[in-house]
Amino acid sequence: MFVDNVLIVTIVAAFLIAVLIGPLFIPFLRRLKFGQAIREEGPQSHFKKAGTPTMGGSIILLALIFTVLKFANAKMEIYFLLLVTLGYGLIGFLDDFIKIKKKRNLGLTAKQKFAGQIVLAIGAYILLLMMGHDTSIHLPGTPWKLELGYFYFPFLLFLLVGTTNAVNITDGLDGLLAGTGAIAFGAYAIIAWFGQDYDTAIFSAAVVGAVLGFLVFNAHPARVFMGDTGSLGLGGALAGIAIMTKTELLLAIIGGVFVVETISVIMQVVSFKTRGKRIFRMSPLHHHFELTGWSEWRVVVTFWLVGMFFAGLGVYLEVVTIR
C-alpha cells in the first residue's frame, strides 16, 4: 500500500475528534465574546467577519494531543514535536487573548513574540542535543549533506521563527491555511513513513486529520477562525517535523505557498520604503488577488492547488529520487 492503514486510522480519528469538539467549543467562545477584530487596513469585505469567534486553533491542538497520545509511542521525538507545537501555540494563545481582552488587532508586541520564539528555540535545541540529533542539513534532490555543527542553532532559530511567521501570514482567508496546511502535513506524513520514521508520520497524519476537522467549521463562510493559537502552533509543528525528518531545506518547497506569501510581504515593504510604490494592491499575496476581483473561495482553492503542486514536488524529490 502507498501508506499504511495506521496513517489513515490516525487521520480519521483526529478528524472525528475535531468535528466533535467544534460544536462544543465554538459556542463556548461566543459566550466568552472571543470575537475576531478586523484590521482597518485590510480588505473592506472582511469587516463583515468582525466578531467571528477566534482561538479556534485550540480545536486543532486538542484533537492533535488526544490522537498522538493514542497512536504514537512515547519517545523523545514526539516530546520534541509536542514542545514546538504547543509552545508556539501558547505564544499564539497569549497573542489572541490580549487582542480579545484589549479589543484591538494588536496582541503581543513584535519584541515579545520574538523573545518567546527565541526561548522556545533554545529549549528545542537543548532537547535536540540530548537526543544526539544530526546537525547536518541535506540538499533536496541530491545525496549530499552539509555539516553545520555549532551553526545548527542559528539555522534552527531561523527555521522555527521563519516558519511560524510564514504560516501565520498565510492565515488570512476562510480555509486558506487549514487547506494548505493539511496538504503540507500530508506530504510530510508520506515522507516520514517512507523514511521509516513512523512516529513522526503518525504525528503528521494526526495534524492532517485535526486540521481537516477544523476546516469543517473554517471553510467559507467561516464559523470560527484558528487565530494565532492555531497558525503559530501549526508553524511550529511543520518546522519540527522538517527537523525530525532531516528535510529542513525541503520545507521551503513543501511549504512553497507559505514562502511565496512571506516574500510578497517583504517585497511590498521594501518597495514602499525604498521607492514609495507598492508592487501588489495589498499584501500578503492572497489579498492582492481578492482586490483584483477574485472571490474569496476562488483565491483559497487556487492556493490549495498550488500547495498540492509544491507538496507533490517535495515528495518526489525526497521519496522518488533519493529513497
Side-chain angles (χ1 to χ4, degrees):
M1 294 180 65
F2 188 58
V3 291
D4 196 274
N5 285 335
V6 68
L7 295 188
I8 298 175
V9 172
T10 301
I11 292 173
V12 172
F15 174 84
L16 292 176
I17 293 173
V19 168
L20 291 173
I21 291 176
L24 301 175
F25 199 72
I26 295 173
F28 175 69
L29 292 174
R30 283 203 187 97
R31 285 196 297 270
L32 293 177
K33 297 182 179 180
F34 281 9
Q36 177 70 44
I38 305 299
R39 62 191 181 105
E40 294 182 0
E41 64 273 20
Q44 295 296 310
S45 61
H46 286 206
F47 282 98
K48 62 185 178 183
K49 300 182 180 184
T52 301
T54 188
M55 295 175 68
S58 303
I59 297 172
I60 298 173
L61 298 181
L62 287 172
L64 173 64
I65 292 171
F66 291 144
T67 309
V68 168
L69 292 178
K70 172 63 178 177
F71 292 99
N73 294 310
K75 51 196 298 189
M76 292 296 284
E77 288 79 3
I78 293 298
Y79 295 146
F80 172 82
L81 292 173
L82 288 174
L83 170 66
V84 292
T85 302
L86 300 181
Y88 283 103
L90 178 59
I91 293 175
F93 178 87
L94 292 174
D95 189 48
D96 287 334
F97 185 79
I98 293 173
K99 289 176 184 176
I100 295 165
K101 192 71 174 177
K102 301 291 185 179
K103 298 186 184 301
R104 63 190 191 191
N105 195 50
L106 175 65
L108 294 172
T109 65
K111 289 183 179 180
Q112 290 171 332
K113 275 188 180 179
F114 189 57
Q117 290 170 335
I118 290 177
V119 170
L120 266 175
I122 293 173
Y125 182 64
I126 292 173
L127 187 55
L128 289 175
L129 290 178
M130 294 171 58
M131 295 164 56
H133 187 70
D134 181 8
T135 55
S136 65
I137 55 174
H138 297 255
L139 303 180
T142 76
W144 305 327
K145 63 180 182 178
L146 176 66
E147 177 58 52
L148 294 184
Y150 291 112
F151 291 102
Y152 190 76
F153 173 69
F155 174 76
L156 179 76
L157 177 62
F158 174 79
L159 184 69
L160 286 168
V161 174
T163 303
T164 51
N165 284 288
V167 172
N168 179 249
I169 286 172
T170 306
D171 184 29
L173 299 177
D174 297 353
L176 176 58
L177 178 54
T180 52
I183 292 165
F185 284 106
Y188 266 116
I190 295 171
I191 289 172
W193 192 264
F194 272 83
Q196 298 183 351
D197 189 351
Y198 300 124
D199 287 298
T200 300
I202 289 172
F203 186 94
S204 303
V207 180
V208 173
V211 171
L212 289 178
F214 175 77
L215 184 58
V216 171
F217 311 102
N218 184 238
H220 185 72
R223 284 177 277 171
V224 65
F225 298 142
M226 68 170 67
D228 285 4
T229 305
S231 60
L232 292 182
L234 290 177
L238 195 60
I241 292 169
I243 292 166
M244 285 296 95
T245 55
K246 297 306 302 173
T247 55
E248 296 97 333
L249 296 181
L250 191 68
L251 176 57
I253 296 175
I254 292 177
V257 169
F258 311 132
V259 174
V260 171
E261 289 271 70
T262 303
I263 291 175
S264 73
V265 173
I266 295 172
M267 291 175 61
Q268 185 86 323
V269 172
V270 172
S271 177
F272 187 74
K273 287 190 174 181
T274 57
R275 304 187 303 136
K277 295 181 180 180
R278 292 180 172 86
I279 299 175
F280 308 104
R281 294 191 177 186
M282 185 177 290
S283 65
L285 190 60
H286 55 259
H287 288 322
H288 170 79
F289 287 109
E290 266 194 297
L291 295 181
T292 61
W294 285 24
S295 68
E296 183 168 349
W297 186 241
R298 180 184 177 187
V299 176
V300 168
V301 172
T302 300
F303 274 57
W304 287 356
L305 293 174
V306 174
M308 288 180 186
F309 169 78
F310 282 125
L313 178 60
V315 171
Y316 174 80
L317 289 174
E318 180 66 14
V319 175
V320 177
T321 65
I322 303 301
R323 303 294 176 186

